[in-house]
């Protein structure tokens, strides 16, 4: 092994001593560094300057190189290694692993702080499980472990890793549909356990400063990921596990959805109602009844019930002409009473018992088998179902019950027993759809709505939702935490059934507050059981008028929200962001979920209790903030009690930052990239820069060509001085000709009337309103750079 001087780091990350494990020797290769010990082999890979992967292979076992979670798996040649009489060190200038030979110990260090410490045996073999054991510092807070309602700091909990639906949950749900083996520390590092088998994450439940990963079988592989900032940590994690492709633009619009539409006629009447009431809508989602008249007994038909949907292709074609996409629910269960059962058995696409016979069991919907998605025949068969439906006109896929909802331990798949693949079933399902689109519909961006997934599912375009939440104030109260936590874990599109799903609780105030929160959600999708209408167009006149305002604002924010999607796809940034992104050293913000950032520049405080007339809001110290509706200014770093009104939730905008907006349209087919309004709240002297992304809204990113005007990034800078304000727009792309943009700019908190406004040196007209202190003027951007100067 090559011995090289290793830079010493300013502090240490320890993995604890094991006096019974003895060092044997070290080997280095182009693929890894291996350290042999008395009971096995440690394998280390430097995956990037901020990520090190460690695997333990016990004696008698072979290393399984397959990761379902990661896309970054090559050992970097650019690492530094050294060996002394009692230590082996390897890593990068930012992250290294130090192995002490006797007593055996593994430590991870970065330039600034101790990250984590493995304790005692490190690897522990029990009768039926295996454990990787780590030591925590007493003061670090822990996030991650998937989608759960536990409070932001999940330390003190023992988390089962077994995807399972929790019907009708409210403020606490210990086990839900996304159980991800990922731990995120308030010290800005991550531990990702790269093994899909079921098990537990014990986040110091015994109050002994211990973190334990426990599993029934599989890889003893984990990655340590670091980041100097939260933004960089998320960028590094999504470099490891893959980034979410940008969804189609229509996905940022309004969905019509319920459980469910029982006929073609009902679908058509619902959309007509939206049109008559001029309520924007981009998609309609069909639940179970598209393939059968009853809830039970028909799952697995996977084809239209022609009695109730006599002309589905015509229906979808007419909806498409109006700009409306049709989405269908599908499930992986094939009931023995379904029309596809015999075909599924004959083609051997089902999971089996140990003797090879189709595995069947009873659950709520009937007697069933399940498609073996890990078997090539099963994957091909299921994709052919989707291919036929997409060719008929289906615009998006809804995959439900993919935990799987019932999956007995005795069942076998092509990848192993049910418990070994349970947590990656939904992940594999999204993968087959994403790959099918790339192969057969390469010019379309898929929309894949799913209830269960795994680490890295975002790279397949999975749009997760938070399951069957109760239709109650308690149900609403847990949604911010769930979405923020999943955003930290790479799943930036986590959202809820707006209005709540489970139960027939009728409360228009709750419905409106949930929709007002939904405006600043990744996906705006009301959905509920049919006892209480979920669609805005089906509400009473008063509620409909109020809800319509939320839908309208959602569409006005389309250029801002679409840019958040781009930031997620390019850099791994979540759309909803915790306040500690702004003030990472503010301990009081480490557990806050009731207030959050929507992108960088909106501060949102949902109202999650009835009858609220006042609420407290903390304004991050990184800026001053303005009320989006009243234009009132709030100083950063202060907590203020504010009044709450019925029409909207408290919404604030960062000072001196341009926000792109657009006119309300009936659906995003009518949206025009070239029409762009801008608003800003001006405060003091300073400058800000923001970039906004534009493309055609439908072509996959890999196919977009800048020279054909197919995408651009507009860089907007605001510079405020004592006697002037400068707004500058630069086009960042390789366009041969600039793309035109025009619209209205509205600046708030302008205390006196300007002397003049110029665009590229030419005076332009403006209006200044003394009472509201609002300044309005039109602009036209038709060259590589446009400069607007407001002079006092």
């Amino acid at each position: 092994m090559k011995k090289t001087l290793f830079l010493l780091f300013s502090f240490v990350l320890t993995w604890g001593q094991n006096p019974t494990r003895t060092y044997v020797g070290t080997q280095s290769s182009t693929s890894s560094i291996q350290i042999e010990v008395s009971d096995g082999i440690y394998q280390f890979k430097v995956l990037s300057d901020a990520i090190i992967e460690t695997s333990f292979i016990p004696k008698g076992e072979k290393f399984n190189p397959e990761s379902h979670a990661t896309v970054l798996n090559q050992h970097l040649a650019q690492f530094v290694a050294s060996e002394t009489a009692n230590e082996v060190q390897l890593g990068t200038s930012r992250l290294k692993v130090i192995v002490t030979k006797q007593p055996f110990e593994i430590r991870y260090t970065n330039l600034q702080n101790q990250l984590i410490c493995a304790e005692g045996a490190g690897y522990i073999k029990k009768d039926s499980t295996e454990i990787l054991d780590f030591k925590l510092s007493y003061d670090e807070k822990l996030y991650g472990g998937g989608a759960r309602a536990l409070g932001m700091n999940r330390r003190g909990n023992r988390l089962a890793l077994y995807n399972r639906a929790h019907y009708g949950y409210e403020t606490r749900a210990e086990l839900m549909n996304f159980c991800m083996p990922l731990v995120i520390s308030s010290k800005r590092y991550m531990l990702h356990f790269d093994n899909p088998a079921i098990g537990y994450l014990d986040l110091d439940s015994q109050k002994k400063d211990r973190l334990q990963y426990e599993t029934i079988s599989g890889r003893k592989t984990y990655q340590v990921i670091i980041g100097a900032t939260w933004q960089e940590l998320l960028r590094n994690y999504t470099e490891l596990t893959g980034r979410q492709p940008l969804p189609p633009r229509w996905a940022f619009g309004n969905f019509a959805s319920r459980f469910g539409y029982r006929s073609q006629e009902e679908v058509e009447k619902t959309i007509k109602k939206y049109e008559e009431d001029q309520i924007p809508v981009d998609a309609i989602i069909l639940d179970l009844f598209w393939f059968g008249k009853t809830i039970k007994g028909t799952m697995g038909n996977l084809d239209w019930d022609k009695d109730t949907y006599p002309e589905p292709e015509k229906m979808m074609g007419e909806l498409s002409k109006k700009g409306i996409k049709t989405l269908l629910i599908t499930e992986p269960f094939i009931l023995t009473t379904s029309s596809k059962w015999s075909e599924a058995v004959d083609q051997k696409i089902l999971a089996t018992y140990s003797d090879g016979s189709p595995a069947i069991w009873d659950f709520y919907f009937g007697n069933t088998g399940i498609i073996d998605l890990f078997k090539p025949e099963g994957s091909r068969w299921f994709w052919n179902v989707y291919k036929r439906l997409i060719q008929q006109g289906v615009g998006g896929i809804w995959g439900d019950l993919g935990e799987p909802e019932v999956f007995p331990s005795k069942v076998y798949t092509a990848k192993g027993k049910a418990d070994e693949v349970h947590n990656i079933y939904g992940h594999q399902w999204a993968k087959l759809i994403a790959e099918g689109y790339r192969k057969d519909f390469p010019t379309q961006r898929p929309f894949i709505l799913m209830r269960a997934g795994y680490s890295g599912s975002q790279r397949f375009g999975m749009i997760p939702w938070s399951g069957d939440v109760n239709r109650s104030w308690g149900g609403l109260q847990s949604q911010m935490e769930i979405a923020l936590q999943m955003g930290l874990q790479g799943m930036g599109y986590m959202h809820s059934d707006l209005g709540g799903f489970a139960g027939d609780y009728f409360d228009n105030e709750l419905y409106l507050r949930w929709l007002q929160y939904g405006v600043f959600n990744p996906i705006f999708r009301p959905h509920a059981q049919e006892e209480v209408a979920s669609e805005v167009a089906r509400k009473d006149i008063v509620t409909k008028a109020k809800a319509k305002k939320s839908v309208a604002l959602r569409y006005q924010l389309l250029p801002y929200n679409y840019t958040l999607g781009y930031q997620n796809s390019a850099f791994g940034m979540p759309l909803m962001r915790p306040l500690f992104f702004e003030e990472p050293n503010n301990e009081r913000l480490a557990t806050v979920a009731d207030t959050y950032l929507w992108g960088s520049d909106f501060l949102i405080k949902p109202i999650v209790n009835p009858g609220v007339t006042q609420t407290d809001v903390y304004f991050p110290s990184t800026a001053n903030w303005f009320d989006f509706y009243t234009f009132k200014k709030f100083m950063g770093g202060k907590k203020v009690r504010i009044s709450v009104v019925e029409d909207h939730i408290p919404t604030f905008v960062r000072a001196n930052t341009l926000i792109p907006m657009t006119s309300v349209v009936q659906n995003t087919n009518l949206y025009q990239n070239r029409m762009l309004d801008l608003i800003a709240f001006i405060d003091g002297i300073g400058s800000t820069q923001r970039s906004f992304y534009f493309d055609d809204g439908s072509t996959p990113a890999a196919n977009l060509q800048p020279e054909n005007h197919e995408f651009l990034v507009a860089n907007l800078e605001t510079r405020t001085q004592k006697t002037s304000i400068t707004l500058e727009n630069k086009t960042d792309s390789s366009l041969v000709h600039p793309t035109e943009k025009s619209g209205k700019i509205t600046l708030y908190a302008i205390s006196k009337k300007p002397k003049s406004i110029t665009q590229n040196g030419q005076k332009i007209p403006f209006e200044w309103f003394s009472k509201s202190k609002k300044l309005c003027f039109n602009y036209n951007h038709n060259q590589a750079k446009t400069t607007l100067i407001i002079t006092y």
Side-chain angles (χ1 to χ4, degrees), residues 402-643:
E403 294 80 22
E405 181 155 300
V406 180
F407 201 21
S409 298
K410 60 185 177 181
V411 175
Y412 283 77
T413 73
K415 277 288 181 186
K417 293 182 179 180
D419 288 348
E420 295 172 325
V421 300
H422 179 96
N423 289 335
I424 55 168
Y425 190 92
H427 181 82
Q428 183 73 11
W429 190 2
K431 179 182 179 182
L432 84 86
I433 297 173
E435 290 179 346
Y437 264 95
R438 279 196 293 269
K439 175 178 175 289
D440 293 320
F441 305 99
T443 62
Q444 294 185 39
R445 294 184 198 173
F447 183 87
I448 306 170
L449 178 67
M450 291 213 165
R451 198 173 80 174
Y454 180 66
S455 308
S457 289
Q458 71 274 359
R459 69 177 179 269
F460 304 127
M462 182 185 287
I463 305 290
W465 92 97
S466 60
D468 294 337
V469 59
N470 206 35
R471 195 180 185 88
S472 65
W473 289 98
L476 172 58
Q477 287 162 17
S478 59
Q479 295 311 302
M480 286 63 72
E481 174 202 341
I482 293 170
L484 290 169
Q485 288 273 357
M486 288 293 279
L488 290 172
Q489 297 170 78
M491 303 290 284
Y493 287 87
M494 173 58 82
H495 67 288
S496 63
D497 292 338
L498 299 183
F501 176 79
D504 59 0
Y505 181 63
F506 187 83
D507 185 338
N508 281 332
E509 183 187 4
L510 170 66
Y511 177 79
L512 290 169
R513 290 304 192 197
W514 213 317
L515 261 64
Q516 290 164 3
Y517 160 63
V519 171
F520 305 98
N521 255 211
I523 302 293
F524 190 93
R525 187 184 56 83
H527 181 68
Q529 294 174 334
E530 60 186 335
E531 289 83 1
V532 179
S534 58
E535 306 95 331
V536 175
R538 295 290 187 187
K539 290 296 182 180
D540 63 85
I541 293 174
V542 174
T543 305
K544 183 192 303 181
K546 294 175 181 176
K548 188 175 176 180
K549 293 179 182 178
S550 294
V551 179
L553 180 56
R554 177 73 178 186
Y555 278 76
Q556 287 177 292
L557 289 173
L558 186 59
Y560 181 87
N561 294 348
Y562 195 67
T563 292
L564 299 189
Y566 166 73
Q567 292 171 354
N568 177 259
S569 67
F571 312 112
M573 281 293 288
L575 289 77
M576 293 174 61
R577 302 167 190 175
L579 292 189
F580 57 69
F581 271 41
E582 287 291 297
E583 296 183 43
N585 298 320
N586 187 341
E587 286 290 320
R588 293 174 300 171
L589 301 183
T591 58
V592 171
D594 64 355
T595 310
Y596 65 93
L597 293 158
W598 177 241
S600 297
D601 299 323
F602 278 94
L603 179 68
I604 307 299
K605 178 66 181 282
I607 300 302
V608 296
N609 287 291
V612 173
T613 58
Q614 290 185 320
T615 191
D616 292 334
V617 177
Y618 175 75
F619 295 91
S621 62
T622 47
N624 292 331
W625 302 82
F626 283 82
D627 189 304
F628 182 69
Y629 297 96
T630 68
F631 320 143
K632 182 179 179 180
K633 175 182 169 181
F634 295 89
M635 299 295 291
K638 304 291 184 181
K639 190 174 186 177
V640 181
R641 178 155 294 182
I642 63 166
S643 297

Side-chain angles (χ1 to χ4, degrees), residues 277-295:
D277 292 337
Q278 296 183 319
I279 300 171
V281 65
D282 264 89
I284 187 164
I285 304 180
L286 310 190
D287 213 311
L288 299 175
F289 303 115
W290 75 273
F291 57 72
K293 300 176 187 64
T294 59
I295 294 174

Side-chain angles (χ1 to χ4, degrees), residues 49-117:
D49 66 343
I51 305 171
I52 291 179
E53 177 180 282
T54 302
S55 299
F56 182 70
I57 306 101
K59 267 192 173 178
E61 290 188 18
K62 291 184 178 180
F63 177 63
N64 175 9
E66 183 179 20
S67 170
H68 296 276
T70 67
V71 294
L72 201 64
N73 52 35
Q74 294 299 312
H75 183 49
L76 292 181
Q78 298 81 19
F79 70 93
V80 182
S82 67
E83 183 173 4
T84 65
N86 200 40
E87 275 192 351
V88 177
Q89 299 185 10
L90 70 143
T92 71
S93 61
R94 299 186 60 198
L95 176 64
K96 72 175 179 179
V97 57
I98 304 170
V99 179
T100 302
K101 298 176 182 179
Q102 189 62 38
F104 191 82
E105 181 181 62
I106 299 176
R107 309 190 307 276
Y108 297 88
T109 69
N110 67 5
L111 283 172
Q112 298 164 326
N113 208 343
Q114 179 172 328
L115 296 181
I116 202 162
C117 172

Side-chain angles (χ1 to χ4, degrees), residues 290-470:
W290 75 273
F291 57 72
K293 300 176 187 64
T294 59
I295 294 174
K296 297 183 179 182
T298 59
M299 189 173 289
N301 285 347
L302 294 170
D303 206 350
W304 297 94
D305 184 328
K306 290 299 183 71
D307 292 337
T308 51
Y309 287 87
E311 298 179 293
E313 293 182 58
K314 180 182 177 183
M315 176 192 75
M316 291 187 288
E318 291 299 319
L319 291 174
S320 182
K321 289 177 184 176
K322 297 178 178 181
I324 309 297
K325 304 295 185 293
T326 304
L327 281 66
L328 300 183
I329 193 172
T330 56
E331 299 88 4
F333 296 98
I334 309 295
L335 268 57
T336 56
T337 54
S338 74
S339 61
K340 292 286 193 294
W341 175 254
S342 295
E343 179 183 338
V345 172
D346 291 344
Q347 296 197 22
K348 301 184 185 303
I349 66 165
L350 300 171
T352 67
Y353 292 125
S354 58
D355 64 3
S357 63
I360 55 173
W361 57 89
D362 292 327
F363 79 142
Y364 175 80
F365 298 95
N367 185 251
T368 193
I370 193 170
I371 302 169
D372 185 351
L373 300 180
F374 303 96
K375 190 176 185 180
E377 296 87 342
S379 183
R380 281 195 299 269
W381 184 89
F382 210 7
W383 171 246
N384 284 333
V385 169
Y386 288 124
K387 184 176 179 180
R388 169 176 51 83
L389 293 170
I390 296 165
Q391 288 171 336
Q392 290 175 357
V394 168
I397 305 300
W398 175 10
D400 200 13
L401 313 183
E403 294 80 22
E405 181 155 300
V406 180
F407 201 21
S409 298
K410 60 185 177 181
V411 175
Y412 283 77
T413 73
K415 277 288 181 186
K417 293 182 179 180
D419 288 348
E420 295 172 325
V421 300
H422 179 96
N423 289 335
I424 55 168
Y425 190 92
H427 181 82
Q428 183 73 11
W429 190 2
K431 179 182 179 182
L432 84 86
I433 297 173
E435 290 179 346
Y437 264 95
R438 279 196 293 269
K439 175 178 175 289
D440 293 320
F441 305 99
T443 62
Q444 294 185 39
R445 294 184 198 173
F447 183 87
I448 306 170
L449 178 67
M450 291 213 165
R451 198 173 80 174
Y454 180 66
S455 308
S457 289
Q458 71 274 359
R459 69 177 179 269
F460 304 127
M462 182 185 287
I463 305 290
W465 92 97
S466 60
D468 294 337
V469 59
N470 206 35

